[in-house]
Every structure is written in C-alpha cells, then in structure tokens.
Amino acid sequence: MPRTFDRAGAPLPPARTTPARTTPASETPRRAAATAADHAPARKPGKQRDAFFDNAKYLAIVLVAMGHAWEPLRADSRAAAALYIAVYTFHMPAFIIISGYFSRSFDASPNRLKRLVTGIAVPYVLFEVAYSLFKRWANDDPTHPISLLDPWYLVWFLAALFIWRLTTPLWKLVRWPLPLALAIAVLASVSPDIGDDLDLQRVLQFLPFFVLGLCLKPEHFRLVRRREARILALPVMASALVFAYWAAPRMNAAWFYRRDSAQELGVPGWVGLPMTLGMFACSLILVACFFAWVPGRHLWVTALGAGTLYGYLLHGFLAKGSRFWDWYEVDWVHTPLGAIALTLFAGTLITALCTPPVQRMFRWAMEPKMEWAFRRDAAAVARGTSR
C-alpha cells in the first residue's frame, strides 16, 4: 500500500479500513421477502359466514317443507292442524327477517343491482315458467297460463324479495320505518281491490318483517340467545302449541298466508287491523323463541344454510306433485305413524336439496353469472389495463 505524507513531509500512519460486511446468500431471499411484505398492500380477510344465521335458515326451511307436508293432514288430525298453525306463525317471518337483516348493505349500486337481477329476478322468471309448465303436465291442466305477473305457489317469495330489496334505501331514509311498514300492512289487509299482480297482498302484509330485519343489529340477536331467553322460550312455545290446538278448528288458517284481505276471508274489513297487529306480535314472539334455540356453533347442517333457496324452490315440485298424483289418498298416511314418516321424509328431502351437489347442479338457474348481459364497469376495466 503506498505511503502518504503530511504538508511537512512527515509520513502519515496507514488508514484503517473496515472490511465490508457481506450478506450470506441464505439471508438475501429473507430480506427480499420481508421488504416485499412491508410494501405489499394489506389483504382483506375473507368474509366468513355466521353459523347462527346459516343454522337458522336451514331449520326454517325444514319447517317450511314439513308445513307443506302437514297441510293435507289437517282435515283428519287436529294435532297436525295445530302444528301447522304454530309453524306457519313464525317460519316465513323468521326467514324474511333474516333476509331483511342481510339486505342492510343494499345501496342500489351497479354491483348490487346486478346481483339482484341474477340472484332473484332471473330465478323468478325461470321457476315461474317451470312451475307453470309442471302444473300443466302434472295436474293435466294444459290451459294453465304462464304469467310473470301472477306468481304461482312458492315463487311469490322471489317477487316479494325483489320489491323489498329495491325499497331498502327508502326504509333507511325514513324516521320510523317499522311503524310505517305496519301501517302499510294494515291498509293492505283491508283493501280487497289490490288484486293478485305480483302477489302484492303478501308483499305488503309480510313487509314489516323485512323492515324489522333491516332495523335489527347483532346485539338484538345476541339478546334473544341468552340463557334466560332460552329458558323462557320453552313455556312460551308450549303455550303457543296449546293455543294452536284450541284454535285449529276455530280459525281460518288462510290468515297465516297473508295473501288475502279481511273481506276476502269473509269478515268485516275492520278486522284486518287487530288481526294484522296481533299476528305480527305473535309471530315476533315465536320468532324470538325460535332464534333462542338456534345453535350458534358450526354443525354438519351449517353448510346447508347457503343452499336454502335451492331447497325452497325445488321441493315445491314434489310438494305439489304429491297432491296432483293423489299420494295422500293412501290410508296409512293419515295414521300417526304415517304422519311421522311423512314429516321425516319432508325433512330428509329438503336437507338433500340444500346440499352442495344440488347447488352445483342448479347454479345456472339460481345464480347465473350472465356477464354477457351487463356492461363492464369502466373503473374495473381501467384498473385492469393499468396493471
């Protein structure tokens, strides 16, 4: 190394050099990965389904199928009629409340409207046509009309859900949504001139349950799932069954369908007011009892909660076919053992129709993609081309 000298000519000591630290080859990938992780955008955690609501939807749809199985037995069995009335008091209200609760995020944005069309409007059209053709064939009724304005059998729920969800922004805007919805339901129950278009009587009379779901928060569901609520639910539900047993031969079960006005049910119009409010209160109490005993943990049926609409729409073909083909004319069906067997069969059938294989088989009808039918989002296209 060459020597250096100061200005006076004296030699300077050699400068100390610090050896450069070399990074081991094994550490280089780690640093690169850590640096990339620091600068990478944070990933949003996947939206997980709530086991409680999936369990509730599954149990509610099982009760729907059982109720349809009990309907032809009511004339011969007071017990079947009592179970039918008790279940019809809360099973559809519970399902509609959950639908309202999960519609809170609906804001009429393009993506929401697209899902509304593909997930509700398209299945409505397909199943209305399918049910009408089925009735023509199975009931030997070739003149049965195919009308998208007059939903037949179970398809009314899709029409109602479409209308309810479209009105969601309005219910978020008004100050007293539930009292307003109840007032509309009362007015519908005393208005025989509404007609059958889109089953508007049902749309309006079931409306308060949807609006209630929009107003509910997670803490409300936690409240009814407390231990005290579960204990109280048992005597309340037992009392409801006793009352239903007493009321079965005395009450017109058509009140629970909410498809007719008071006058169409053979009573004065003013009766619609106390019946609408009283049935709403009774339904609300029994829905709370139902929710109190819905399990909140993951069970083997929890995954079926995502396929309840499949089971709902598909089981109707067999439910109606059993009437068209006179299956209930067999004597043993009207025995206690026959009723139990029919109940178990209905529960098994609806369970099978909610399974993932059935969902995959009918997804083209229930959840079509239909990308060809919609304009591409300009912002999404711009993001894709900028990458």
Side-chain angles (χ1 to χ4, degrees), residues 33 45 72 94 108 110 113 123 180 196 205 219 228 239 243 268 281 315 321 325 342:
L113 289 174
L180 178 58
D196 297 328
Q205 292 193 42
E219 52 264 29
E228 297 86 347
S239 301
F243 179 80
H315 92 280
W325 302 321
L342 196 63

Side-chain angles (χ1 to χ4, degrees), residues 36 53 83 107-108 150 202 233 238 249 263 296 343 349 376 383 386:
F53 289 107
L83 286 172
D107 55 3
D150 187 12
R202 274 176 165 162
Q263 295 93 323
T343 302
L349 173 68
R376 297 186 65 184
R383 288 194 300 267
S386 63

Side-chain angles (χ1 to χ4, degrees), residues 278-295:
M279 290 181 61
F280 178 78
C282 292
S283 297
L284 201 56
I285 292 171
L286 294 188
V287 166
C289 294
F290 170 71
F291 284 151
W293 279 96
V294 171

